[in-house]
Amino acid sequence: MAEPFAFVNDQHKLVECYTADIDAIEDPYFSVGFIIQPLDQGYFIFNSINLTGSLESIQLRKVEDITLLKDNTAYLDAFTYYINYNKQHQLFDPYQLEAQLNEQRFDTIFALFNQLLQKKQIINILTYEDQVFTGTIALLDQENIVLNLLDFEDYTFHTKQTIPFKHIQTIDLYHRENFLIKVYLASKS
């Protein structure tokens, strides 16, 4: 029997999401967003909101990395206003990131990854070592993901990088910058 999702009462609520391993006592790191849905193997989908109240990215995160969730704070009151304003003016999700995710049908992270591989979706991977890799999925197995890395000097993919899942902190499945990169690359072909 699967364990119940740790944040079931926080789904679709705006939260401050504090993460392990990058928190500092004097200046704690957190992001603002919505917990969307649980996935298998202790992962969940998180919609990350930027400082202007727009959708920045749709992320895959590990439940075990979350040290604290806060809701109903004065800080979030301002973000609620920003988000509502942006939604009223069609500025919340101008790159249709949610629609792209909703095109996918998955119930496991590997089903999701396989669909991203088929679409040649550009993703970002942040490791616990504070490395960021941007590229498309080339291969994956139960322990590793292999990316075709994007070279930002010439906007080509010519290097592969193997990243163990145990080193991954966050994956931007859909990110506004990656949407623009994909559109740019399509315009060049």
Side-chain angles (χ1 to χ4, degrees):
M1 178 183 221
E3 280 191 37
F5 182 52
F7 307 130
V8 70
N9 295 329
D10 297 301
Q11 280 185 262
H12 304 285
K13 270 202 258 180
L14 187 63
V15 295
E16 296 172 16
C17 185
Y18 293 78
T19 50
D21 294 332
I22 57 175
D23 284 356
I25 301 291
E26 294 142 18
D27 186 22
Y29 174 82
F30 68 93
S31 51
V32 171
F34 298 92
I35 294 173
I36 300 304
Q37 76 180 70
L39 285 174
D40 63 324
Q41 300 185 41
Y43 287 90
F44 66 96
I45 303 286
F46 183 79
N47 282 7
S48 182
I49 307 301
N50 67 23
L51 292 173
T52 64
S54 294
L55 182 61
E56 183 71 20
S57 67
I58 298 175
Q59 302 173 338
L60 186 66
R61 293 187 174 197
K62 292 180 183 175
V63 171
E64 68 187 34
D65 289 340
I66 306 307
T67 58
L68 178 66
L69 290 178
K70 290 184 181 180
D71 61 1
N72 299 318
T73 67
Y75 188 73
L76 292 177
D77 288 345
F79 270 84
T80 298
Y81 178 84
Y82 301 161
I83 290 166
N84 289 336
Y85 181 90
N86 286 331
K87 285 182 176 181
Q88 289 172 3
H89 295 90
Q90 288 77 46
L91 300 170
F92 176 71
D93 185 9
Y95 301 107
Q96 302 298 306
L97 303 180
E98 288 179 323
Q100 292 176 63
L101 178 68
N102 291 336
E103 290 173 1
Q104 309 299 313
R105 297 288 173 250
F106 56 89
D107 55 4
T108 68
I109 61 169
F110 289 103
L112 172 61
F113 288 151
N114 278 313
Q115 290 179 35
L116 296 173
L117 184 149
Q118 298 301 318
K119 286 179 62 176
K120 295 184 166 94
Q121 179 65 37
I122 299 170
I123 64 173
N124 302 325
I125 294 178
L126 171 66
T127 68
Y128 291 111
E129 295 80 27
D130 287 333
Q131 294 177 295
V132 178
F133 299 101
T134 300
T136 59
I137 300 172
L139 298 166
L140 64 135
D141 61 31
Q142 295 295 319
E143 295 180 16
N144 301 294
I145 188 167
V146 179
L147 286 188
N148 294 309
L149 293 180
L150 176 64
D151 183 333
F152 284 97
E153 288 186 22
D154 62 5
Y155 281 81
T156 60
F157 301 90
H158 48 78
T159 305
K160 290 191 178 0
Q161 177 72 43
T162 300
I163 307 161
F165 281 110
K166 65 183 179 185
H167 293 178
I168 296 174
Q169 181 176 37
T170 303
I171 299 176
D172 286 316
L173 304 169
Y174 295 93
H175 191 284
R176 58 193 321 160
E177 181 181 5
N178 292 347
F179 172 85
L180 292 171
I181 290 168
K182 191 170 185 174
V183 171
Y184 171 71
L185 292 174
S187 77
K188 289 179 54 174
S189 43

